[in-house]
């Protein structure tokens, strides 16, 4: 494999400038995102909808600051940047942080409901899409009809948001990065440490690109670099990860004995479900929805260990585990801001890809994956044709070049942000280090316990001494014996 090499990039357009000092307002408020401890203070940050027009329409962003209670507290906090795009930062931090030691140390942690998400105002949720899913997932309609209905649901959401006065072109990575800079200055922070997860890494990279002097260090967990394009690589990345799962099971004696010919069983399951779908609650599980289900489970490294069992039981016509996982995953709520996701993705990703490029990326993969991801791409292209996102700026697909110290974390069983993207990210970050964990999926820090706290050890050491070379000996065990199944 040819390793990516650093490529100098010239900025091709000016990013939004932060709001003039004294214009962005930070006001104490009650915490609106579930139960919080006595060490948490919440705020609303008022920012311009467009930073180029500070006197225009404004947005209110909800912020939570988790104060360190340790006597040796230091002045450079961690800013937690959630993924999606569209997931609420504060609620996500609440359930994702858990007992991860770097989030409960001598540094304050700041969590932000990014513009359009969580308890920020407005929120770009699309309940119309959830209404569509409740009907669609109970049927086995032709894909063309399902795609048309999906697009229609988002058209209804789009029209409602426009009627409510939302300017959908204002929701981009660059505008959110300018919000982050406004927040840093409003809190009186000289420089902070960015902790980005999934899409949050793309936002962190945008912040360090546009406001490099505001960042002391970055931790990028499951990185999504600006020059990567998920639509073009999605099908191939999925197939690579599944092949890795099959090979790893075959190489592990206990797994190989319990689940012989796992690869064949998996592809047969999708054929069987297409021919004879299984009804679980409201959901009719077809082959495509089985891919949906496993994709969601790959977001959690703990769930990966049960995938051979899920595949094999379903292949044998036993549906107890399938029933449990479907009811766990297929839920309908407004936790996620789908409208925000399309504003960002249409402007910063879909604009840089063509249907032909998607087809080329899927040309050599299994037909099930190729068909599934082709349909996803058709949905995205259809929605972006009317969504009204900001016209694409070339800088939003260019690699970020920076000398800010960076720790890159990645699991090798992650089809969403694969190890190749981690290397691509690090290639233009001159002070970067990569920690790759065999057997882990998306969101490495959430599997800290599975790594015997190797993740928190590396992150803690890095935050204390970001310019120093890390001792990664705790990774050696996993390199020789990947985290297995069962």
């Amino acid at each position: 494999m040819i390793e990516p090499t650093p490529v100098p990039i010239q900025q091709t357009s000016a990013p939004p400038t932060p709001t003039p000092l004294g214009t962005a307002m930070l006001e104490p408020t009650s915490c609106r995102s579930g139960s919080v401890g006595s060490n948490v203070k919440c705020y609303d940050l008022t920012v311009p909808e467009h930073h180029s027009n500070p006197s225009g329409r404004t947005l209110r962003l909800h912020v939570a600051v988790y104060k360190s209670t340790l006597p040796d507290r230091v002045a450079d906090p961690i800013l937690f940047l959630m993924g999606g795009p569209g997931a609420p930062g504060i609620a996500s931090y609440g359930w994702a942080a858990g007992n991860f030691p770097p989030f409960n140390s001598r540094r304050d942690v700041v969590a932000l409901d990014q513009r359009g998400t969580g308890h920020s105002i407005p929120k770009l949720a699309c309940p119309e899409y959830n209404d569509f899913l409740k009907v669609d997932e109970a049927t086995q309609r032709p894909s063309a009809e399902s795609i048309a209905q999906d697009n229609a649901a988002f058209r209804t959401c789009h029209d409602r948001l426009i009627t409510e006065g939302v300017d959908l072109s204002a929701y981009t990575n660059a505008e959110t990065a300018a919000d982050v800079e406004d927040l840093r200055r409003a809190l009186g922070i000289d420089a902070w440490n960015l902790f980005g997860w999934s899409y949050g890494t793309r936002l962190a990279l945008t912040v360090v690109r546009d406001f490099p002097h505001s960042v002391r260090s970055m931790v990028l967990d499951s990185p999504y670099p600006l020059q990567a394009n998920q639509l073009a690589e999605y099908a191939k990345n999925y197939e690579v990860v599944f092949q890795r799962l099959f090979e790893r099971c075959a190489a592990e004696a206990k797994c190989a004995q319990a689940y012989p010919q796992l690869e064949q069983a998996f592809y047969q399951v999708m054929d069987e479900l297409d021919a004879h779908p299984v009804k679980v609650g409201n959901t009719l599980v077809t082959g495509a929805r089985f891919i949906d289900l496993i994709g969601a489970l790959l977001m959690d490294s703990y769930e990966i260990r049960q995938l051979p069992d899920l595949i094999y039981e379903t292949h044998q016509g036993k549906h107890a585990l399938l029933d449990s996982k479907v009811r766990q995953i297929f839920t309908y709520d407004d936790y996620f801001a789908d409208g925000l996701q399309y504003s960002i993705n249409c402007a910063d990703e879909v604009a840089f890809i063509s249907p032909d490029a998607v087809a080329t990326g899927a040309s050599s993969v299994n037909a099930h994956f190729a068909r599934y991801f082709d349909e996803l791409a058709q949905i995205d292209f259809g929605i972006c044709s009317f969504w009204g996102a900001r016209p694409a700026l070339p800088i939003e697909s260019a690699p970020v070049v920076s000398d800010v110290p960076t720790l890159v974390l990645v699991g090798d069983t992650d089809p969403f942000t694969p190890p190749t993207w981690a290397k691509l990210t690090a290639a233009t970050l001159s002070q970067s280090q990569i920690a790759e964990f065999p057997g882990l999926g998306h969101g490495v820090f959430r599997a800290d316990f599975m790594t015997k706290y190797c993740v928190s050890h590396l992150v803690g050491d890095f935050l204390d001494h970001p310019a120093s070379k890390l001792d990664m000996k705790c990774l050696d065990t996993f390199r020789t014996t990947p985290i297995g199944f069962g």
Side-chain angles (χ1 to χ4, degrees), residues 3 20 55 176-177 189-190 203 207 215 240 303-304 403-404 413 427 438 466:
E3 297 293 335
S55 61
T176 304
I189 295 165
D190 291 333
L203 176 56
V207 171
V215 182
V240 166
E303 296 284 359
I304 291 173
D403 59 3
V404 169
T413 317

Side-chain angles (χ1 to χ4, degrees), residues 18-162:
T19 308
L21 284 171
T23 304
M25 293 186 296
L26 186 70
E27 301 173 292
T29 187
S30 58
C31 295
R32 301 194 291 273
S33 189
S35 58
V36 292
S38 58
N39 66 319
V40 182
K41 293 185 177 180
C42 291
Y43 304 88
D44 280 337
L45 178 72
T46 301
V47 298
E49 186 174 51
H50 288 278
H51 285 271
S52 60
N53 181 20
S55 61
R57 177 184 165 100
T58 60
L59 314 175
R60 275 199 296 156
L61 312 184
H62 198 45
V63 181
V65 180
Y66 299 77
K67 291 285 187 181
S68 171
T69 57
L70 298 182
D72 58 346
R73 175 175 170 267
V74 293
D76 52 280
I78 297 168
L79 174 65
F80 177 77
L81 296 174
M82 183 52 190
I90 300 173
S92 299
Y93 174 78
W95 61 256
N99 294 317
F100 189 58
F103 290 152
N104 300 276
S105 64
R106 58 197 187 119
R107 285 182 172 81
D108 296 348
V109 179
V110 181
L112 166 69
D113 281 350
Q114 299 161 23
R115 59 170 55 199
T117 72
H119 288 279
S120 291
I121 301 172
K123 179 180 178 180
L124 274 59
C126 284
E128 298 89 347
Y129 177 57
N130 287 329
D131 292 342
F132 155 76
L133 286 179
K134 292 173 187 176
V135 175
D136 189 66
E137 289 180 355
T139 65
Q140 192 182 17
R141 68 176 91 199
S143 62
E145 181 183 340
S146 182
I147 291 168
Q149 293 295 322
D150 189 299
N151 279 206
F154 276 103
R155 170 75 78 171
T156 303
C157 177
H158 165 276
D159 293 350
R160 175 181 53 78
L161 291 172
I162 295 298

Side-chain angles (χ1 to χ4, degrees), residues 295-337:
L297 296 173
L298 283 167
M299 297 289 285
D300 188 331
S301 294
Y302 294 92
E303 296 284 359
I304 291 173
R305 304 178 70 184
Q306 293 190 61
L307 289 182
D309 198 19
L310 174 63
I311 293 167
Y312 225 75
E313 282 196 10
T314 305
H315 179 51
Q316 294 174 333
K318 302 173 184 176
H319 298 144
L321 188 55
L322 177 69
D323 186 290
S324 171
K325 296 304 179 185
V326 167
R327 293 179 189 275
Q328 171 188 331
I329 296 300
F330 289 89
T331 58
Y332 314 97
D333 57 43
D334 293 332
Y335 175 84
F336 199 83

Side-chain angles (χ1 to χ4, degrees), residues 295-452:
L297 296 173
L298 283 167
M299 297 289 285
D300 188 331
S301 294
Y302 294 92
E303 296 284 359
I304 291 173
R305 304 178 70 184
Q306 293 190 61
L307 289 182
D309 198 19
L310 174 63
I311 293 167
Y312 225 75
E313 282 196 10
T314 305
H315 179 51
Q316 294 174 333
K318 302 173 184 176
H319 298 144
L321 188 55
L322 177 69
D323 186 290
S324 171
K325 296 304 179 185
V326 167
R327 293 179 189 275
Q328 171 188 331
I329 296 300
F330 289 89
T331 58
Y332 314 97
D333 57 43
D334 293 332
Y335 175 84
F336 199 83
D338 299 282
L340 181 278
Q341 182 174 70
Y342 273 106
S343 283
I344 289 179
N345 285 351
C346 291
D348 296 336
E349 180 170 350
V350 176
F352 296 100
I353 193 71
S354 69
D356 286 346
V358 174
T360 299
S363 60
S364 62
V365 305
N366 176 273
H368 283 286
F369 287 134
R371 184 169 59 250
Y372 175 81
F373 288 105
D374 175 69
E375 290 177 8
L376 289 186
Q378 287 185 53
I379 290 169
D380 284 356
F381 285 122
I383 293 170
C384 290
S385 70
F386 64 75
W387 193 255
R390 175 177 295 179
L393 301 175
I395 192 174
E396 301 306 338
S397 67
V400 172
V401 179
S402 174
D403 59 3
V404 169
T406 303
L407 173 60
V408 177
L409 306 171
V410 67
D412 79 346
T413 317
D414 180 357
F416 308 99
T417 55
T420 52
W421 286 12
K423 294 172 184 176
L424 196 65
T425 302
T428 53
L429 304 177
S430 61
Q431 292 197 59
S432 60
Q433 303 178 68
I434 300 177
E436 181 177 330
F437 289 83
L440 294 190
H442 196 65
V444 168
F445 82 100
R446 297 174 60 214
D448 191 30
F449 177 76
M450 293 175 69
T451 70
K452 300 179 181 177

Side-chain angles (χ1 to χ4, degrees), residues 187-325:
L187 289 171
I189 295 165
D190 291 333
W192 48 13
N193 307 282
L194 306 182
F195 190 107
W197 172 21
S198 190
Y199 159 76
T201 65
R202 198 173 178 102
L203 176 56
L205 287 164
T206 305
V207 171
V208 84
R209 178 196 71 190
D210 295 350
F211 310 105
H213 301 297
S214 72
V215 182
R216 175 179 176 267
S217 74
M218 287 193 295
V219 178
L220 304 179
D221 189 336
S222 308
Y224 187 175
L226 275 67
Q227 68 271 38
N229 197 294
Q230 197 171 59
L231 283 179
E233 302 179 47
Y234 225 165
K236 187 61 178 177
N237 289 342
Y238 252 69
E239 189 174 63
V240 166
V241 162
F242 275 92
Q243 194 60 41
R244 187 168 291 137
L245 282 169
F246 302 143
E247 291 172 356
R248 194 161 282 161
C249 180
E252 186 180 305
K254 186 177 178 181
C255 188
Q257 183 178 2
Y259 313 108
Q261 298 183 321
L262 183 63
E263 180 175 2
Q264 294 92 321
F266 173 70
Y267 290 113
Q268 287 171 9
V269 162
M270 288 194 287
D271 287 332
E272 291 162 3
L273 289 173
D274 279 338
H276 305 286
V278 174
K279 191 69 176 289
V280 176
N282 182 67
T283 304
L284 192 67
V285 183
T286 61
R289 292 192 185 110
F290 194 65
I291 297 176
D292 266 344
L293 175 66
I294 291 188
L297 296 173
L298 283 167
M299 297 289 285
D300 188 331
S301 294
Y302 294 92
E303 296 284 359
I304 291 173
R305 304 178 70 184
Q306 293 190 61
L307 289 182
D309 198 19
L310 174 63
I311 293 167
Y312 225 75
E313 282 196 10
T314 305
H315 179 51
Q316 294 174 333
K318 302 173 184 176
H319 298 144
L321 188 55
L322 177 69
D323 186 290
S324 171
K325 296 304 179 185

